Amino acid sequence: MISESRKTASTSQTLSRGIRVLEVLADAQEPLSVDRIAERLGVHRSIAYRLIRTLEEHGLLTREPRGKYELGARLAALAAGIKHDLQAAALPELTAVANELGMTCFVAVMDREECVTLVSVEPRHAVASVAQRPGSRHPFTAGAPGRAILSQLPEEDWPEGIEEVTDRGYADSHGEVIENLSSVAVPLPLRGHAPAALAVVYLSSTRTPAELAERLKAAGKAVRDALGG
């Protein structure tokens, strides 16, 4: 007979591997074959296939005509439920800023030791824009959004460089997360929510970081007002 502890360990490992399948496909940003998924997971093809079939049955994965797998539409429905009120309040402002500045605008939130993109909007008519997909994550200490979030923590928890963010009211970065990309972010403190940031990411701009920050601050105020402060 299998003990309860062994059952729990087995179940946890299966769940963990299933989540890793989703992460692998999200990072790949293209459909992958069963063999490729198995390779990236470091498991036998038969194990990967069972995981994939289970996720497919729940609508979290879908098989495209060539037989490769990609993330399923059900994930979008699940993601829409995360901080739904914040996403709903932010979306009109993100759209306005993105189209006005010709830059991708997004909200980033705190997730343990990382900064995660919650919702983003790319400019409608920009010649070249940067994709910042929801779910994208990086360490807090790299990039403007992470530092804007860190500036809302108690001062004793600040790493080096955060005092400048609080003095200026914004953070800016260049090439810290992705080479040649710049970002400007402002703190987005929200009642009832963990610290967040409102940011833009871009290749180049005629506007200064301070000018971009002022536009983001106005958008941030509108988001807070929509959420009741």
Side-chain angles (χ1 to χ4, degrees), residues 10-103:
S10 175
T11 302
S12 298
Q13 183 184 55
T14 301
L15 177 60
S16 178
R17 283 174 170 172
I19 293 170
R20 283 288 297 129
V21 171
L22 299 177
E23 292 174 340
V24 163
L25 284 167
D27 290 341
Q29 298 181 15
E30 64 177 352
L32 296 177
S33 66
V34 176
D35 288 338
R36 184 62 63 85
I37 294 171
E39 178 185 336
R40 297 192 181 185
L41 288 180
V43 301
H44 192 273
R45 185 184 191 281
S46 62
I47 294 175
Y49 182 73
R50 287 197 297 271
L51 295 169
I52 289 167
R53 288 290 296 122
T54 300
L55 294 168
E56 187 181 16
E57 288 174 4
H58 288 276
L60 302 178
L61 294 186
T62 184
R63 185 178 182 182
E64 47 105 77
R66 295 175 298 168
K68 295 183 178 181
Y69 289 87
E70 58 188 353
L71 298 178
R74 177 63 181 158
L75 274 176
L78 295 176
I82 301 172
K83 298 184 182 295
H84 173 73
D85 56 342
L86 174 53
Q87 291 195 56
L91 193 57
E93 295 303 318
L94 298 182
T95 302
V97 172
N99 290 330
E100 178 182 329
L101 300 180
M103 302 173 180

Side-chain angles (χ1 to χ4, degrees), residues 22-23 26-27 29 71 75 79 82 87 106-109 111 114-120 131-138:
L22 299 177
E23 292 174 340
D27 290 341
Q29 298 181 15
L71 298 178
L75 274 176
I82 301 172
Q87 291 195 56
F106 62 100
V107 170
V109 297
D111 182 22
E114 294 182 304
C115 174
V116 180
T117 298
L118 177 66
V119 58
S120 67
Q132 181 74 20
R133 293 178 174 83
S136 301
R137 59 179 62 232
H138 58 266

Side-chain angles (χ1 to χ4, degrees), residues 159-175:
E160 186 178 351
I162 301 304
E163 185 174 353
E164 181 182 9
V165 177
T166 61
D167 290 343
R168 296 189 307 179
Y170 71 91
D172 64 314
S173 63
H174 178 73

Side-chain angles (χ1 to χ4, degrees), residues 180-195:
N180 296 325
L181 293 187
S182 297
S183 181
V184 173
V186 299
L188 186 62
L190 300 166
R191 188 166 53 208
H193 290 273

Side-chain angles (χ1 to χ4, degrees), residues 97-98 100-105 169-173 182-186 198-220:
V97 172
E100 178 182 329
L101 300 180
M103 302 173 180
T104 298
C105 188
Y170 71 91
D172 64 314
S173 63
S182 297
S183 181
V184 173
V186 299
L198 187 60
V200 288
V201 61
Y202 55 97
L203 286 165
S204 63
S205 176
T206 58
R207 295 177 171 86
T208 66
E211 290 171 335
L212 296 175
E214 287 304 309
R215 181 62 183 89
L216 289 172
K217 288 176 184 178

